[in-house]
Amino acid sequence: MPKIPHRLYLTEDQMPRQWYNLRADMKEQPDPMLNPQTLKPVTEQDLYPIFCEELAHQELDETNRYIDIPEEILEEYMIYRPSPLIRAYNLEKSLDTPAKIYYKFEGNNTSGSHKLNSAIAQAYYAKKQGIKRLTTETGAGQWGTALAEACSYFGLELDVFQVKCSYEQKPFRRAIMEVFDANVTPSPSMTTEAGRKILAENPDTTGSLGCAISEAVEKALTTESCRYVLGSVLNQVLLHQSIIGLESKTAMEILGEYPDIVIGCAGGGSNLGGLIAPFMQDKLTGKANPKILAVEPASCPSLTRGKYAYDFCDTGKVTPLARMYTLGAGFIPAANHAGGLRYHGMSPILSKLYHDGYMQAISVQQTDVFDAAVYFAQKETILPAPESAHAIRAAIDEAIKCREAGEAKTILFGLTGTGYFDMTAYSSHRAKTMQNYIPTDEELEKGFKSLPKIKGIQK
Amino acid sequence: MPKIPHRLYLTEDQMPRQWYNLRADMKEQPDPMLNPQTLKPVTEQDLYPIFCEELAHQELDETNRYIDIPEEILEEYMIYRPSPLIRAYNLEKSLDTPAKIYYKFEGNNTSGSHKLNSAIAQAYYAKKQGIKRLTTETGAGQWGTALAEACSYFGLELDVFQVKCSYEQKPFRRAIMEVFDANVTPSPSMTTEAGRKILAENPDTTGSLGCAISEAVEKALTTESCRYVLGSVLNQVLLHQSIIGLESKTAMEILGEYPDIVIGCAGGGSNLGGLIAPFMQDKLTGKANPKILAVEPASCPSLTRGKYAYDFCDTGKVTPLARMYTLGAGFIPAANHAGGLRYHGMSPILSKLYHDGYMQAISVQQTDVFDAAVYFAQKETILPAPESAHAIRAAIDEAIKCREAGEAKTILFGLTGTGYFDMTAYSSHRAKTMQNYIPTDEELEKGFKSLPKIKGIQK
């Protein structure tokens, strides 16, 4: 048997007891979120109608490096964590690469992804404040499922606005959210002003995360004892997801390893930001210099083809403005299969780090991603989510480069979740009816036109 | 934090290196399988056209107590094993029971169940013998998926006959088997004589495991370099699945625990036989006396309402005869949702142990099972397979008895898999359109009439 185990699970004693706040080590902070009315930096109080107080605090906290994970959250993390760090022996062998490939697998829980890490935290803080009801949006359905689980656990009501094309492509996602008593509505819907407005302008829209966010925020603002929660993009989400990276780093230390390359798929940044957090810390503090690589879909290329600009986080323009890499809140991506990565913007923290040269980004095409997904499933016996398979594609390509260069690099990638609810996409890949889609420059320009013009800040 | 961890994963060093063969400790052996032509006990050689040689040997091996797990199989087990032993703290709390509830969770792999444990072994031995192609049947689809994974890993072709009602209820199961390059055919089909005969007699049949076995066996016998493999019932399958019980027992020893009650769902017996193996050993050898409980669906009650008799393992009557608890190979269960438990017979080893009083059995109704499944999912955040939820139902009922009696018993049950492909059933449960079905005595009598009459052995 190989000396390094196939799967390393930390013991409960070895599990992190604190989240890591990457902002505390950034040389320059991301530009502040702006209140869309006053165009001044938002205050915690500005955020209270949307987020519960503790989360509003975390959202703006640039200074506390480590935040204790409350005991109640740890207790719930223990139900499905730690997630394993897996050595991809079979994949390495089959690629005939000298590279060592590790992946952190977050799919061993019912949400099928890493999303539960932040869902539990957000539901807990809401419950603690006496909030009765949460609203959210979901794309692929993993975040909605995770939040449904967390709300069921803490006894909160939940309304989920699910992007319409995903609602239709994945009927069973709704069913699983309903097992956890969530109310699921396809978005855009006629139940909110934002939804009605979007439908009036574009009756045939298949929806987008940006639309669904508008509806969920509106519902939260107009419902008693209700707050909005978001599964990605936000600083607080990256904070909670840092547990992925912290566990990975501890596990690699136990094995005497350190990654030369860290790879994550990138939609809004929740997984990528969490996975890379402690490695980026090493980079920011000069302790190490791993290559950090974001992988996004060619159909929704915010980092590789977007603008670094102030934008709304939603299509309905009700959220604060954040400076980030964005395709414009008006950009509606094609209804292809990378459901969970179809967001117009990118985490402001990751956008800033990318802008300042601390990480690299590439975009990959849908069919190449599914080729990698099937190859990986056959070797490692885990059926990956299409989102996760973006990282697999890049990891395989890096391992092939290692073979060609004869370099034994250590690669770490995030396998965010499983693809059990994506069989329609797998079938279309097998039948060779899967479409690739790359927006034209003209299509991108149309999205950029939706960027807000802000006097003195942005033309 | 509680002293006993929520999840215990063995390290690779602690993992079993041998399977345990329960027959070596049985006071009386199960009655021998009979060659249906000669009505004499089958020999290894009789089995060679159906099974590869090593598996034929394992099938008839009553004496070797421990069998080394070949290195190649261990290597593949390491990709997804060990499975966790989980302490159900939340479930206990919510039931307000003094009982300690543990479950062995086998769902953290792409087959979604324990089935991979035997699929890998059977594919390995076939490959080793130079066999090129395997055939099998699948009910709920977990076994078919597991075998597709194993065949893909070892480079074998695979034909799966999937019970027609399951094929139709779970289209994504086919898609996932196809990711691993399996050929999937709904059964009964027109591609085999057995299928054509069954369809001629009963054109509207929704199929059964018994029918699908006939087709898979026929295909194996009529195809070059091809063998048949089965995911349950057989002695060899119980041998491979003993890893579930061995890991469970080691994990409980580490925690200083021993179960008072061991509970498993029972269809053909693969999970139940594997889980209970080392605890049954203690019982047979007088070291301990845990209560061992089989839980079967009221719609297909082979242990609780069947006859202990010689029967064919398949509807087409091409397999050897085995003495087991059976509803008759002609019994076609209603097309309700416990897909994986819809088999007319029961493992001969388990049948003999039950007959001799070493274990107990109960049957439970579909809606009660799904009530337990939803309750469990909300507390423990794992969405169980309907099959597994039979054991959950019984574990909850035992824990409630403990509450009422004020007894702090230690309960261990097998959570065989996840329910991601069973959302249609979950939805019908939620919509309260789920049907319960209990066969009438007349319906059972009809099945019993299909039992073979064997001169001098069985009237």
Side-chain angles (χ1 to χ4, degrees):
Chain A
M1 307 300 296
K3 206 174 152 199
I4 287 185
H6 291 70
R7 298 193 154 211
L8 186 70
Y9 291 94
L10 303 180
T11 63
E12 289 191 3
D13 290 345
Q14 294 167 329
M15 275 177 65
R17 291 290 189 274
Q18 297 181 308
W19 293 304
Y20 166 59
N21 181 9
L22 191 48
R23 284 165 290 174
D25 285 307
M26 286 171 74
K27 304 273 185 285
E28 286 178 30
Q29 288 300 312
D31 290 292
M33 273 200 278
L34 302 181
N35 180 317
Q37 268 86 51
T38 64
L39 298 180
K40 290 192 177 145
V42 293
T43 63
E44 263 186 58
Q45 287 71 21
D46 285 344
L47 294 175
Y48 287 173
I50 307 184
F51 301 136
C52 71
E53 294 176 16
E54 186 65 33
L55 292 169
H57 179 74
Q58 290 181 358
E59 192 58 31
L60 300 184
D61 182 352
E62 297 178 348
T63 50
N64 289 297
R65 185 169 281 109
Y66 293 101
I67 316 279
D68 286 340
I69 305 174
E71 197 68 14
E72 293 85 347
I73 293 177
L74 276 176
E75 187 63 32
E76 184 68 355
Y77 276 176
M78 300 294 183
I79 294 180
Y80 66 99
R81 303 199 70 78
S83 71
L85 180 77
I86 306 180
R87 174 76 183 267
Y89 282 115
N90 279 354
L91 185 63
E92 290 171 17
K93 194 174 152 194
S94 139
L95 292 171
D96 189 26
T97 178
K100 290 188 276 187
I101 307 176
Y102 289 93
Y103 56 101
K104 180 71 168 166
F105 179 42
E106 291 284 325
N108 275 349
N109 70 76
T110 293
S111 80
S113 81
H114 65 295
K115 294 288 187 184
L116 200 47
N117 302 329
S118 187
I120 287 167
Q122 295 192 54
Y124 165 74
Y125 288 118
K127 178 75 178 178
K128 198 180 160 206
Q129 192 180 313
I131 302 296
K132 301 275 185 251
R133 191 174 195 100
L134 294 177
T135 70
T136 199
E137 76 297 323
T138 197
Q142 293 176 327
W143 167 247
T145 308
L147 194 64
E149 284 183 70
C151 285
S152 167
Y153 180 76
F154 286 113
L156 295 163
E157 300 284 313
L158 174 64
D159 293 296
V160 180
F161 291 89
Q162 184 173 10
V163 177
K164 195 188 274 173
C165 63
S166 166
Y167 184 91
E168 286 164 1
Q169 277 170 12
K170 303 181 177 186
F172 293 161
R173 270 288 178 200
R174 171 185 171 183
I176 195 168
M177 288 186 264
E178 288 176 345
V179 167
F180 296 98
D181 291 334
N183 309 300
V184 187
T185 307
S187 168
S189 77
M190 294 300 282
T191 68
T192 65
E193 260 187 56
R196 288 189 292 270
K197 189 158 170 258
I198 291 161
L199 282 171
E201 286 167 10
N202 193 353
D204 297 328
T205 179
T206 52
S208 71
L209 278 172
C211 301
I213 293 173
S214 298
E215 294 202 85
V217 170
E218 180 185 324
K219 172 101 186 183
L221 290 171
T222 56
T223 305
E224 205 184 317
S225 191
C226 186
R227 291 292 184 283
Y228 165 71
V229 296
L230 177 62
S232 192
V233 184
L234 297 174
N235 302 335
Q236 59 188 273
V237 174
L238 266 67
L239 176 71
H240 307 147
Q241 294 294 359
S242 67
I243 195 161
I244 304 173
L246 293 167
E247 279 187 11
S248 300
K249 198 175 172 209
T250 301
M252 292 198 89
E253 277 165 7
I254 290 169
L255 301 175
E257 294 278 21
Y258 193 89
D260 297 302
I261 312 173
V262 184
I263 301 171
C265 61
S270 67
N271 152 69
L272 180 67
L275 174 69
I276 69 173
F279 304 105
M280 185 59 85
Q281 178 183 34
D282 289 348
K283 206 161 168 128
L284 291 165
T285 57
K287 280 192 198 143
N289 193 24
K291 172 175 167 180
I292 293 181
L293 183 61
V295 191
E296 58 183 14
S299 60
C300 196
S302 53
L303 283 173
T304 51
R305 296 177 69 198
K307 289 200 173 164
Y308 189 47
Y310 268 106
D311 197 5
F312 289 96
C313 297
D314 68 321
T315 313
K317 305 189 176 182
V318 297
T319 60
L321 292 158
R323 191 165 179 213
M324 57 185 178
Y325 278 86
T326 178
L327 300 166
F331 179 81
I332 301 252
N336 73 348
H337 302 295
L341 304 179
R342 298 172 68 243
Y343 182 64
H344 66 276
M346 178 57 63
S347 145
I349 291 175
L350 294 177
S351 291
K352 175 69 177 163
L353 289 166
Y354 178 62
H355 192 66
D356 291 350
Y358 289 102
M359 57 183 234
Q360 301 174 37
I362 55 169
S363 75
V364 288
Q365 297 221 43
Q366 209 56 215
T367 51
D368 295 336
V369 163
F370 273 83
D371 288 347
V374 170
Y375 187 84
F376 179 83
Q378 293 188 352
K379 304 309 166 201
E380 293 288 312
T381 81
I382 293 173
L383 186 85
E387 293 81 8
S388 323
H390 286 67
I392 295 172
R393 174 76 272 166
I396 288 176
D397 291 343
E398 291 286 344
I400 290 171
K401 278 189 229 164
C402 285
R403 179 180 69 208
E404 287 163 358
E407 284 182 296
K409 284 187 182 164
T410 300
I411 299 170
L412 169 65
F413 74 88
L415 189 71
T416 56
T418 48
Y420 302 126
F421 290 91
D422 300 283
M423 296 320 301
T424 306
Y426 272 98
S427 292
S428 80
H429 173 256
R430 186 180 173 83
K432 301 196 191 304
T433 55
M434 177 170 272
Q435 303 280 319
N436 281 317
Y437 168 71
I438 303 179
T440 62
D441 287 343
E442 290 70 32
E443 283 167 315
L444 289 187
E445 276 309 318
K446 209 175 141 191
F448 294 146
K449 279 194 185 128
S450 68
L451 288 172
K453 286 169 190 61
I454 309 169
K455 216 176 164 181
I457 299 173
Q458 182 165 285
K459 282 181 204 172
Chain B
M1 306 301 298
K3 207 176 150 197
I4 287 184
H6 291 71
R7 298 194 154 210
L8 186 71
Y9 291 93
L10 302 180
T11 63
E12 289 191 1
D13 290 345
Q14 294 167 330
M15 277 178 64
R17 292 287 189 276
Q18 297 181 309
W19 294 303
Y20 166 60
N21 182 9
L22 192 47
R23 284 165 290 175
D25 285 306
M26 286 172 73
K27 305 272 184 286
E28 287 180 29
Q29 287 301 312
D31 290 293
M33 273 199 279
L34 302 181
N35 181 317
Q37 268 87 51
T38 65
L39 297 181
K40 291 193 177 145
V42 293
T43 62
E44 262 187 56
Q45 287 70 18
D46 285 343
L47 294 175
Y48 287 173
I50 307 184
F51 302 134
C52 70
E53 294 176 15
E54 186 64 34
L55 292 170
H57 179 74
Q58 289 181 358
E59 192 59 31
L60 301 183
D61 181 353
E62 298 177 351
T63 50
N64 288 298
R65 185 168 280 109
Y66 293 100
I67 316 279
D68 286 339
I69 306 175
E71 197 68 12
E72 294 84 347
I73 293 177
L74 275 176
E75 187 63 31
E76 184 69 351
Y77 277 176
M78 299 294 183
I79 294 180
Y80 67 98
R81 301 199 72 78
S83 71
L85 180 76
I86 306 180
R87 174 76 183 268
Y89 282 116
N90 280 353
L91 185 63
E92 291 170 18
K93 195 174 151 194
S94 137
L95 293 171
D96 189 26
T97 178
K100 290 188 277 186
I101 308 176
Y102 290 91
Y103 56 99
K104 179 71 167 166
F105 179 42
E106 291 284 327
N108 275 348
N109 70 76
T110 292
S111 80
S113 81
H114 65 294
K115 294 289 187 184
L116 200 48
N117 302 330
S118 186
I120 288 168
Q122 295 192 53
Y124 165 75
Y125 288 117
K127 178 75 179 180
K128 198 179 158 204
Q129 193 180 313
I131 303 296
K132 302 274 184 255
R133 192 175 195 100
L134 295 176
T135 70
T136 198
E137 76 297 324
T138 197
Q142 293 176 327
W143 167 247
T145 308
L147 193 64
E149 283 184 71
C151 285
S152 166
Y153 180 77
F154 287 113
L156 296 163
E157 299 285 312
L158 174 64
D159 293 295
V160 179
F161 291 88
Q162 184 174 11
V163 178
K164 194 189 274 174
C165 63
S166 167
Y167 184 90
E168 286 164 2
Q169 277 168 15
K170 303 182 177 185
F172 294 160
R173 269 289 178 200
R174 172 186 170 184
I176 195 168
M177 289 186 265
E178 288 176 345
V179 167
F180 296 98
D181 291 334
N183 309 300
V184 186
T185 306
S187 167
S189 77
M190 295 300 283
T191 68
T192 65
E193 259 188 56
R196 288 190 291 271
K197 188 157 171 260
I198 291 161
L199 281 171
E201 287 167 12
N202 193 353
D204 297 327
T205 180
T206 52
S208 71
L209 278 171
C211 300
I213 292 172
S214 298
E215 293 203 81
V217 171
E218 180 185 324
K219 171 101 187 183
L221 290 171
T222 55
T223 305
E224 204 183 319
S225 191
C226 187
R227 291 294 183 282
Y228 165 71
V229 296
L230 177 61
S232 194
V233 184
L234 297 174
N235 302 335
Q236 60 188 270
V237 174
L238 266 66
L239 176 71
H240 307 147
Q241 294 294 359
S242 68
I243 193 162
I244 304 173
L246 293 167
E247 279 187 10
S248 301
K249 198 174 173 210
T250 301
M252 293 198 90
E253 278 165 7
I254 290 170
L255 301 174
E257 294 277 22
Y258 193 88
D260 298 301
I261 312 173
V262 184
I263 302 171
C265 62
S270 67
N271 151 70
L272 180 68
L275 174 69
I276 68 174
F279 304 105
M280 186 59 86
Q281 179 182 34
D282 289 348
K283 208 162 166 126
L284 291 165
T285 57
K287 280 193 197 144
N289 193 24
K291 172 175 166 179
I292 292 180
L293 183 61
V295 190
E296 58 182 15
S299 60
C300 197
S302 53
L303 284 173
T304 52
R305 297 177 69 198
K307 289 199 173 166
Y308 188 49
Y310 267 105
D311 197 6
F312 290 96
C313 299
D314 67 321
T315 313
K317 306 187 175 183
V318 297
T319 60
L321 292 158
R323 190 165 179 215
M324 57 184 176
Y325 277 87
T326 178
L327 300 167
F331 178 79
I332 300 250
N336 72 350
H337 302 295
L341 304 179
R342 298 172 70 241
Y343 182 65
H344 67 276
M346 178 58 63
S347 143
I349 292 176
L350 294 178
S351 291
K352 176 68 177 164
L353 289 166
Y354 178 63
H355 193 66
D356 292 350
Y358 289 102
M359 57 182 233
Q360 302 173 36
I362 55 169
S363 74
V364 288
Q365 297 222 41
Q366 208 58 215
T367 52
D368 294 336
V369 164
F370 272 83
D371 288 347
V374 170
Y375 188 84
F376 179 83
Q378 293 188 353
K379 305 309 167 201
E380 293 288 315
T381 81
I382 293 173
L383 186 85
E387 293 81 9
S388 324
H390 287 67
I392 296 173
R393 173 76 271 164
I396 287 176
D397 291 344
E398 291 286 345
I400 290 171
K401 278 189 226 162
C402 285
R403 179 180 68 209
E404 288 164 358
E407 284 182 297
K409 285 187 181 165
T410 300
I411 299 170
L412 168 66
F413 73 88
L415 189 70
T416 56
T418 49
Y420 301 126
F421 291 91
D422 300 283
M423 296 319 301
T424 306
Y426 272 99
S427 292
S428 80
H429 173 256
R430 186 180 173 83
K432 301 197 189 304
T433 55
M434 176 171 272
Q435 303 280 318
N436 281 316
Y437 169 71
I438 303 178
T440 62
D441 288 342
E442 290 71 32
E443 283 167 317
L444 290 187
E445 276 308 319
K446 208 175 141 190
F448 294 144
K449 279 192 185 131
S450 69
L451 288 172
K453 287 168 192 59
I454 310 169
K455 216 174 164 182
I457 299 173
Q458 181 166 287
K459 282 181 202 170

